[in-house]
Amino acid sequence: MKSRFLPYATTPARLTAQLISDVLIAAWITVWVLVGLAVHHAIAIFAQVGTQVRSGATGIADNLNSAGDNADRLPFVGDEVAKPLRAASEAALDLAGAGQSLNSTATWLAVLLAIAVAAPPILAVGMPWLFLRIRFFRRKWTVIALAQTPAGEQLLALRALANRPLAKLTEVSADPVGAWRMGEPMTVRGLAALELRSAGVARIPGH
């Protein structure tokens, strides 16, 4: 893939800085993702407790209900014995419902808290990094496109005259403004190259 389509500089110093920033951003995001996962795991334990409560209470309810059915067959006292057993079975089912509710609540809470903990620091660093990288890519794309035409090269040279340090300009020509006005090709190309390098492009494509 041509370097024009990559959001990276072709000048060594700037490329190195971009790669280092990418590594640091990746490490930052990884750390906070791991923190979010740790929070999720800690809260999810309560969901497991809810599951265990539901499972155990459901088993007790089934056993009590079966015991009530068996007690109901007893002569004379069957109904009296069965009623408290069935009441206890219903209470156990209520406990199972509470366990299910705890499971659902803890599951959602684990996700929300994990996002609430990890997202802000990731976005606080990641969004500015992404904005700067997009802005760099747009500038790189624009200056490379300009450098492909004589008029664009002239414009880049003019921008260099306006924005680059005097020491850099005089390295290109002793009289950079005069040479640019006269349209001297080497001076125009050298000035345009200064502007390209400031945008992270090592040289004018095709030159």
Side-chain angles (χ1 to χ4, degrees), residues 81-172:
V81 175
K83 282 182 179 180
L85 291 173
R86 285 173 178 155
S89 175
E90 291 177 1
L93 288 176
D94 290 339
L95 183 60
Q100 176 61 37
S101 178
L102 175 62
N103 176 273
S104 300
T105 302
T107 298
W108 280 105
L109 189 61
V111 174
L112 292 176
L113 287 179
I115 294 174
V117 169
I122 289 175
L123 293 177
V125 174
M127 292 306 293
W129 169 83
L130 182 61
F131 170 78
L132 292 174
R133 186 56 59 84
I134 292 174
R135 187 176 71 173
F136 165 81
F137 177 70
R138 291 180 63 184
R139 185 183 179 200
K140 176 186 174 184
W141 182 280
T142 300
V143 296
I144 290 178
L146 287 172
Q148 305 298 323
T149 65
E153 198 171 67
Q154 285 275 357
L155 179 58
L156 290 175
L158 179 59
R159 282 183 58 84
L161 289 172
N163 299 318
R164 299 307 114 214
L166 290 175
K168 294 291 184 181
L169 297 178
T170 54
E171 287 178 3
V172 176

